Amino acid sequence: MSRISLFLNVFFLLFINFFHSQKLYFEKVDLGNPEFETKLITLSKKLIKVYTEKDSLKYADNYFRLQVLNKDYDGAINTLNKIRYPYVNSYPYYAKTVGFQFEQYILAKQISNSGNFTSNYEQIFTKNYQKLPLLAKQLIPESFKFKEGFSKKEVQKILKDSIMQDSISIKNAVLLCKHFNYHTLISETFSTAIPLLKKLENEEFFVKDSVVVKTKKGNEITLFYVFDKKIKRPKPSILHFSTYIGNNDYFISAAKINADRGYNIIYAFSRGIYLSKDEINPFEFEVEDVNEVIDWITKQTWSDGKVGMIGGSYDGFSQWAATKNLHPALKTIIPAASVGFGIDFPMFNNCFSPYMLRWLTHVKKKTDFDIFENEKKWLSVYNTYYKTGVAFNKLDSIYGKTNSVFQTWLKHPSFDSYWQSKLPYKRDFTKINIPVLTVTGYYDVDQRGAMYYYDNHLKYNKNANHYFVIGPYGHNEAVSGAPSEEYKGYKIDSVANIDLKEISLQWFDYILKGQKKPEFLKDKVNYQVMGTNQWKSASSIDKISNKKLKLYLNKTKLQASKSNLDFISQTIDFRKREDTLQNFDDEKILDSLINKADLKDKIVFESDAFDTSFEINGSITGKVKAAINKKDMDITISAYEKLPSGKYFKLSHEYYARASYTKDNTKRKLLNPGKIETIPVHNTFFTSRKIDKGSKLIIILGIRKNPDGQINYGTGKDVSEETIADAKEPLEIKWYNDSYVEFPISEK
């Protein structure tokens, strides 16, 4: 930096500090004094002449408030338009509503001489609100969320603490004017605006909350529904069926957006949730209860008899549960990031995780997001389980309360009839003859649940009309339908940032209203190839790759050729518990290093650099050949691309599996100590990525031993009952070099 630049920077900082410390005359006067507003306006006139701010947006916002206080209404409207302008293209609905509460106040004040202010305000508010598009209207309630007295207290605090010897700093003067401005706005308009807003909303939409539906067996399901009053004829219905309930205003607001497209929108909740008096037992009765709700919908006067379902995660599961005994009125489903009950939650490849208890504790009449998000509490529970080495079935005791559902689930470590009865299984898929649109992501923890339904639907139903969309999304992004521009350090390709919600609504229009198919869906399988900024389509998943890249795990090399039989040894001492969990979800998709925790108890296999580029499209498969001194183990596999720059790109979510279940997830077959066993690698995560010339592939193979996983000590007993007392001998592994992985690839 040059001396001149340094001087200018120092001068600017000194100027800013001087400016903010500068004092203005202001006689201390109580807020209730009739002269207060006059004196404050005098102060604001002085302030306008000297006020400056480095942050242009902050400056415009504060300057706008000063103009309103000075009754410079034309100037204030001009400034408000300048504040809105930067959002016109990026957030058009937000641009229309920024400062809406001030705008209506200003416009009413401008004509207050020609009539009653309240009457003028109501007319102006109504006219301008009705001109807004629906998505902009949904933002308006946020502008009126402050309670009476909110800014009054701030004004009184500044008057008490910040005026010394009849002077006030410019910084505090700005705050005083700003809070008084808001205090005036609240006092003069909110008591009119809030009920008026509710009235206008009710004129457009019919909202019926707190409906309790009795099932044939006498159980209770609570729901609410919304429809557009402007459409008088019976309409098709879109059903969400969930175990989550929080702020109903949020759900109702979202429902109105879809209702505006000409649908009845219904949100129904599992037994025991909301107003239902039944016991809470998630996943248990959706096979029956969703169809009870569909039956109820078809009997309503506003229903045309056609129902579609949508939702993600648990709400994706509930859609598939409904198809086990398909109701004739259910015409289509759009499951996103669907939980595969018993497939990927609460166990994944027959391995349980402490997360299952964390999830269960927040499923209540009203979802307890506070306990779920209490990271300190859950880190303590996970780490206590890990450090003490107690049996996994004591996890709820560590938490402090026995959980009967948790204990029930643990009694079913195989994918047995308990799980099979809760979702479509094998021949059940032959009867699912409705169109399906599945959405998931490469980094979605429930991707394998979504793939379970997709794969089996196509396997057992040769006429399955099933569309599939997958991209670089995590669980939340797939569920919400709103991708993030950057996901865990990876800036996704711009074409991947699509409006999945709009595509879903277009799908409903296509199926329920006979309109054209969404333009985005070029074929049955639609996938975004990371690194190409392209979407590709194919008629089926087996058409998206044309070759298998087979690589052997030889010592620490990932190589195409098979070597003479050899092995690499590894020792895992389950008694060592120095490593504890420090935080949740610190995963990075693109980073300069692989997380140390991900390397613990693992072996890294690295390929040579590739001399041509190619695409990986699909799920990695393979076979691990190993001999151990115990009867079981939980293996993990992660796959990375090592870029020419040296950075690491994680290709998909981590795979892990219980070795004794890899050949049949319904029946445990223990390993023979000392014998070379073949462990098939399947049910891994789907991905699509262009591998550039000069890149390398990396496979990280190892044992699952960490606080956020159930510990398999290898005795052959029920893993939920094993304790650290079973860790007498370390696990000794010989990983043989005829082990291999196969990447499904596409080459030009």
Side-chain angles (χ1 to χ4, degrees):
M1 182 183 290
S2 69
R3 290 184 178 181
I4 294 175
S5 297
L6 181 61
F7 169 77
L8 290 174
N9 283 336
V10 171
F11 175 79
F12 179 76
L13 290 172
L14 289 172
F15 172 77
I16 291 296
N17 288 333
F18 168 76
F19 161 72
H20 282 297
S21 62
Q22 189 180 349
K23 303 285 187 179
L24 293 176
Y25 175 77
F26 184 70
E27 182 183 351
K28 195 166 191 174
V29 59
D30 187 73
L31 177 60
N33 192 311
E35 296 183 8
F36 178 82
E37 184 173 2
T38 302
K39 290 181 179 293
L40 193 63
I41 290 173
T42 301
L43 174 67
S44 69
K45 290 182 185 297
K46 297 176 185 176
L47 197 53
I48 280 178
K49 295 177 181 178
V50 298
Y51 175 59
T52 186
E53 189 73 55
K54 185 178 180 181
D55 185 328
S56 60
L57 189 60
K58 184 177 180 181
Y59 172 79
D61 181 48
N62 288 333
Y63 193 78
F64 166 72
R65 310 298 183 93
L66 294 174
Q67 288 175 305
V68 175
L69 185 59
N70 273 290
K71 298 180 173 53
D72 177 12
Y73 297 134
D74 289 338
I77 291 293
N78 186 49
T79 301
L80 180 59
N81 288 332
K82 290 178 180 177
I83 292 171
R84 289 173 170 175
Y85 182 75
Y87 304 105
V88 168
N89 294 320
S90 54
Y91 302 101
Y93 300 115
Y94 179 67
K96 292 177 182 294
T97 60
V98 173
F100 181 87
Q101 69 275 50
F102 287 101
E103 183 180 39
Q104 311 320 303
Y105 171 79
I106 291 168
L107 295 173
K109 283 291 184 181
Q110 284 180 315
I111 61 170
S112 59
N113 292 332
S114 61
N116 178 271
F117 171 76
T118 301
S119 176
N120 290 336
Y121 180 82
E122 286 182 343
Q123 291 178 31
I124 289 167
F125 188 107
T126 301
K127 177 183 175 183
N128 290 332
Y129 176 83
Q130 290 176 338
K131 287 193 298 186
L132 291 172
L134 180 62
L135 286 171
K137 288 177 181 175
Q138 300 301 297
L139 301 175
I140 297 300
E142 282 294 305
S143 301
F144 297 92
K145 67 181 180 180
F146 297 114
K147 294 181 180 178
E148 193 76 34
F150 172 79
S151 287
K152 181 179 180 180
K153 293 176 183 177
E154 299 298 324
V155 171
Q156 291 170 331
K157 187 175 186 302
I158 294 170
L159 290 174
K160 179 183 176 183
D161 301 337
S162 303
I163 300 173
M164 305 294 178
Q165 298 177 340
D166 291 339
S167 66
I168 186 171
S169 69
I170 288 178
K171 179 181 178 181
N172 286 325
V174 170
L175 288 173
L176 180 61
C177 292
K178 184 174 181 175
H179 286 301
F180 179 75
N181 177 233
Y182 221 118
H183 164 62
T184 303
L185 178 78
I186 292 171
S187 301
E188 295 190 27
T189 67
F190 274 36
S191 60
T192 301
I194 293 171
L196 177 59
L197 183 58
K198 185 65 70 176
K199 174 177 173 287
L200 292 170
E201 289 175 338
N202 290 339
E203 287 175 357
E204 292 187 295
F205 296 98
F206 180 85
V207 179
K208 182 70 173 177
D209 197 357
S210 307
V211 179
V212 177
V213 175
K214 286 276 189 180
T215 70
K216 295 182 183 71
K217 294 180 180 179
N219 301 104
E220 295 181 341
I221 302 165
T222 310
L223 59 80
F224 68 80
Y225 60 93
V226 178
F227 60 77
D228 190 337
K229 287 183 176 180
K230 297 189 295 294
I231 305 173
K232 305 299 183 183
R233 65 182 184 279
K235 300 174 285 295
S237 302
I238 297 174
L239 170 63
H240 302 249
F241 196 101
S242 186
T243 193
Y244 302 115
I245 185 166
N247 184 347
N248 269 16
D249 289 342
Y250 170 80
F251 287 116
I252 289 171
S253 178
K256 288 176 181 176
I257 294 170
N258 294 342
D260 191 53
R261 298 280 286 254
Y263 295 100
N264 308 306
I265 308 300
I266 302 95
Y267 279 81
F269 304 95
S270 302
R271 291 188 198 181
I273 304 298
Y274 199 11
L275 303 178
S276 170
K277 298 184 183 68
D278 291 303
E279 183 180 351
I280 296 174
N281 203 336
F283 296 99
E284 194 71 21
F285 302 108
E286 269 60 10
V287 165
E288 303 171 29
D289 291 351
V290 179
N291 284 324
E292 292 269 10
V293 173
I294 293 173
D295 205 49
W296 178 87
I297 290 170
T298 61
K299 295 173 183 176
Q300 306 309 304
T301 56
W302 36 261
S303 168
D304 72 353
K306 291 186 287 188
V307 178
M309 291 187 71
I310 193 171
S313 195
Y314 189 97
D315 305 20
F317 155 80
S318 64
Q319 295 174 63
W320 283 109
T323 66
K324 191 173 179 74
N325 299 297
L326 191 64
H327 194 290
L330 184 58
K331 303 302 181 184
T332 188
I333 59 174
I334 308 179
S338 305
V339 172
F341 190 50
I343 298 294
D344 64 3
F345 178 83
M347 60 182 184
F348 178 75
N349 288 330
N350 302 89
C351 302
F352 289 109
S353 296
Y355 176 81
M356 62 193 283
L357 180 65
R358 183 181 179 186
W359 184 85
L360 279 170
T361 57
H362 92 306
V363 178
K364 298 179 179 178
K365 280 196 170 296
K366 184 175 181 181
T367 310
D368 192 343
F369 293 107
D370 289 338
I371 186 60
F372 183 83
E373 293 167 2
N374 187 343
E375 186 167 303
K376 183 178 179 181
K377 170 70 174 178
W378 288 109
L379 284 172
S380 174
V381 172
Y382 284 33
N383 287 328
T384 300
Y385 158 69
Y386 186 67
K387 288 188 291 185
T388 60
V390 298
F392 189 77
N393 61 16
K394 301 297 182 185
L395 190 71
D396 52 352
S397 298
I398 295 173
Y399 172 73
K401 185 178 181 181
T402 301
N403 189 298
S404 60
V405 177
F406 173 74
Q407 294 297 333
T408 296
W409 290 353
L410 291 183
K411 288 181 172 63
H412 300 276
S414 302
F415 184 65
D416 57 20
S417 59
Y418 172 77
W419 312 103
Q420 295 164 15
S421 67
K422 308 295 187 287
L423 41 65
Y425 181 64
K426 291 189 175 180
R427 302 301 299 174
D428 293 332
F429 286 98
T430 63
K431 300 175 290 184
I432 303 175
N433 292 315
I434 59 172
V436 179
L437 173 60
T438 285
V439 177
T440 184
Y442 304 137
Y443 306 103
D444 170 20
V445 293
D446 281 315
Q447 185 207 103
R448 295 317 303 169
M451 295 300 294
Y452 164 81
Y453 301 114
Y454 175 81
D455 290 340
N456 282 281
H457 193 197
L458 269 65
K459 178 180 178 179
Y460 290 100
N461 190 330
K462 301 306 178 186
N463 297 314
N465 185 8
H466 199 140
Y467 281 74
F468 181 74
V469 175
I470 189 167
Y473 314 128
H475 186 68
N476 292 340
E477 289 74 20
V479 170
S480 68
S484 302
E485 290 184 5
E486 184 173 305
Y487 181 73
K488 296 187 176 182
Y490 168 53
K491 186 176 181 181
I492 69 173
D493 293 344
S494 60
V495 296
N497 196 5
I498 58 174
D499 189 343
L500 292 164
K501 291 181 288 187
E502 177 59 26
I503 292 169
S504 297
L505 284 169
Q506 290 173 8
W507 177 267
F508 281 132
D509 290 343
Y510 168 52
I511 301 299
L512 300 179
K513 295 182 179 180
Q515 297 181 14
K516 68 176 184 177
K517 188 177 71 177
E519 181 68 23
F520 175 79
L521 300 175
K522 304 298 184 186
D523 212 327
K524 290 292 181 67
V525 177
N526 303 273
Y527 58 103
Q528 200 274 310
V529 186
M530 295 184 288
T532 67
N533 205 33
Q534 283 184 310
W535 282 91
K536 292 189 176 182
S537 301
S539 58
S540 63
I541 280 182
D542 60 7
K543 297 287 196 302
I544 67 175
S545 60
N546 56 24
K547 187 178 178 181
K548 294 282 188 182
L549 174 61
K550 188 173 186 178
L551 297 173
Y552 289 92
L553 282 63
N554 185 23
K555 300 293 180 68
T556 58
K557 290 284 293 179
L558 204 55
Q559 61 187 47
S561 60
K562 188 175 182 179
S563 300
N564 293 331
L565 190 64
D566 203 350
F567 60 83
I568 184 171
S569 297
Q570 187 180 15
T571 300
I572 306 294
D573 190 345
F574 286 110
R575 293 170 299 180
K576 290 187 176 181
R577 302 294 170 93
E578 298 86 1
D579 53 317
T580 54
L581 198 61
Q582 302 302 311
N583 53 63
F584 291 111
D585 199 20
D586 57 354
E587 176 188 53
K588 291 288 185 184
I589 303 304
L590 181 62
D591 206 353
S592 57
L593 294 170
I594 297 174
N595 192 320
K596 285 185 179 180
D598 294 339
L599 295 173
K600 189 178 182 302
D601 300 320
K602 313 289 193 306
I603 298 173
V604 178
F605 300 86
E606 185 173 314
S607 76
D608 292 331
F610 294 96
D611 54 13
T612 58
S613 64
F614 58 92
E615 293 176 8
I616 296 175
N617 291 320
S619 298
I620 300 167
T621 55
K623 290 183 179 178
V624 171
K625 303 288 188 70
I628 64 173
N629 62 333
K630 294 178 181 285
K631 297 179 181 179
D632 205 359
M633 61 179 175
D634 292 349
I635 66 168
T636 74
I637 296 176
S638 295
Y640 287 82
E641 175 192 4
K642 187 176 182 180
L643 305 176
S645 65
K647 287 190 173 184
Y648 295 87
F649 187 93
K650 193 167 189 177
L651 292 172
S652 67
H653 210 282
E654 179 190 35
Y655 161 86
Y656 54 89
R658 185 148 295 159
S660 57
Y661 280 106
T662 52
K663 292 178 181 175
D664 184 352
N665 67 349
T666 69
K667 186 177 181 181
R668 192 179 191 192
K669 187 176 186 298
L670 296 174
L671 279 61
N672 295 301
K675 180 184 175 183
I676 299 176
E677 299 274 6
T678 299
I679 302 167
V681 176
H682 56 96
N683 199 35
T684 60
F685 286 82
F686 183 109
T687 193
S688 179
R689 165 78 174 171
K690 180 186 177 186
I691 305 299
D692 285 324
K693 177 182 177 180
S695 285
K696 301 177 180 181
L697 287 176
I698 288 178
I699 288 290
I700 301 175
L701 170 68
I703 297 300
R704 190 174 186 237
K705 173 183 170 283
N706 48 55
D708 61 350
Q710 182 188 38
I711 305 296
N712 182 355
Y713 293 89
T715 65
K717 297 189 298 187
D718 183 343
V719 177
S720 293
E721 297 176 0
E722 290 180 317
T723 72
I724 201 167
D726 294 302
K728 296 172 184 176
E729 296 179 356
L731 173 64
E732 301 287 352
I733 315 166
K734 294 177 180 177
W735 302 106
Y736 282 86
N737 63 351
D738 54 346
S739 301
Y740 65 87
V741 290
E742 288 185 317
F743 293 86
I745 67 170
S746 295
E747 290 183 325
K748 292 182 179 179

